[in-house]
Coordinates of all heavy atoms in Angstrom, one line a residue:
A8 N 0.7 70.2 128.9 CA 1.4 69.0 129.3 C 2.7 68.8 128.5 O 3.6 68.2 129.0 CB 0.5 67.7 129.0
D13 N 11.4 62.2 123.7 CA 11.8 61.1 122.7 C 13.0 60.3 123.3 O 14.2 60.9 123.3 CB 12.1 61.7 121.4 CG 12.3 60.7 120.3 OD1 12.6 59.5 120.6 OD2 12.2 61.1 119.1
L28 N 33.4 63.1 124.9 CA 34.1 63.1 126.1 C 35.3 62.3 126.1 O 36.3 62.7 126.6 CB 33.1 62.6 127.2 CG 33.6 62.7 128.7 CD1 33.7 64.2 129.0 CD2 32.5 62.1 129.6
T108 N 40.4 60.5 130.3 CA 39.7 61.7 130.5 C 39.5 62.0 132.0 O 39.6 63.1 132.5 CB 38.4 61.8 129.7 OG1 38.6 61.9 128.3 CG2 37.5 63.0 130.1
Y122 N 32.1 59.2 138.4 CA 32.7 58.0 137.7 C 33.2 57.0 138.6 O 33.0 55.8 138.5 CB 33.7 58.6 136.7 CG 34.3 57.5 135.9 CD1 33.7 57.0 134.8 CD2 35.6 56.9 136.2 CE1 34.3 56.0 133.9 CE2 36.2 55.9 135.3 CZ 35.5 55.5 134.2 OH 36.0 54.6 133.5
L134 N 34.6 42.5 143.0 CA 35.9 41.7 142.9 C 36.4 41.4 144.3 O 36.8 40.3 144.7 CB 36.9 42.5 142.1 CG 36.7 42.7 140.6 CD1 37.7 43.6 140.0 CD2 37.0 41.3 140.0
E139 N 37.3 37.9 149.1 CA 37.1 37.7 150.6 C 36.4 36.3 150.8 O 36.6 35.6 151.8 CB 36.4 38.9 151.1 CG 37.2 40.1 151.2 CD 36.4 41.3 151.7 OE1 35.1 41.3 151.6 OE2 37.0 42.3 152.3
G143 N 37.8 33.4 153.1 CA 36.8 32.8 154.1 C 36.6 31.4 154.0 O 36.4 30.7 155.1
G145 N 38.7 29.3 152.9 CA 39.9 28.5 152.9 C 40.6 28.2 151.5 O 41.4 27.4 151.4
D150 N 46.6 34.8 155.0 CA 47.3 36.2 155.0 C 47.3 36.7 153.6 O 48.1 37.6 153.3 CB 48.6 36.1 155.6 CG 49.5 35.1 154.8 OD1 49.1 34.4 154.0 OD2 50.8 35.2 155.1
L153 N 44.8 40.9 149.8 CA 43.7 41.2 148.9 C 43.6 42.6 148.5 O 43.1 43.0 147.4 CB 42.3 40.8 149.6 CG 42.2 39.4 150.1 CD1 40.7 39.1 150.5 CD2 42.6 38.4 149.0
V155 N 46.3 44.6 147.6 CA 47.1 44.7 146.3 C 46.5 43.8 145.2 O 46.4 44.3 144.1 CB 48.5 44.2 146.7 CG1 49.3 44.2 145.3 CG2 49.2 45.2 147.6
R167 N 48.8 46.8 130.1 CA 48.9 46.2 128.7 C 48.6 47.2 127.8 O 49.3 47.4 126.6 CB 48.0 44.9 128.7 CG 48.1 44.2 127.4 CD 46.9 43.3 127.1 NE 45.7 44.1 127.2 CZ 45.2 45.0 126.2 NH1 45.9 45.2 125.1 NH2 44.1 45.6 126.4
E168 N 47.5 48.0 127.9 CA 47.0 49.0 127.0 C 48.2 50.0 126.8 O 48.5 50.5 125.7 CB 45.8 49.7 127.4 CG 44.5 48.8 127.2 CD 44.1 48.9 125.7 OE1 44.5 49.8 125.0 OE2 43.3 48.0 125.3
W187 N 45.2 34.0 141.8 CA 44.8 32.9 142.6 C 46.0 32.1 143.2 O 46.1 31.9 144.4 CB 43.8 31.8 141.9 CG 42.8 31.2 142.8 CD1 42.8 30.0 143.2 CD2 41.6 31.9 143.2 NE1 41.7 29.7 143.9 CE2 40.9 30.9 143.9 CE3 41.0 33.1 143.0 CZ2 39.6 31.1 144.5 CZ3 39.8 33.3 143.6 CH2 39.1 32.3 144.3
P196 N 40.5 23.7 137.1 CA 40.7 23.6 135.7 C 39.7 24.6 135.0 O 38.6 24.8 135.4 CB 40.4 22.2 135.4 CG 40.6 21.5 136.7 CD 40.3 22.4 137.7
G198 N 36.8 26.1 133.1 CA 35.5 25.5 132.9 C 35.0 24.6 134.0 O 33.8 24.2 133.9

Side-chain angles (χ1 to χ4, degrees):
D13 188 342
L28 187 62
T108 292
Y122 182 79
L134 289 167
E139 287 179 336
D150 61 348
L153 302 189
V155 172
R167 181 200 56 75
E168 281 281 342
W187 213 255

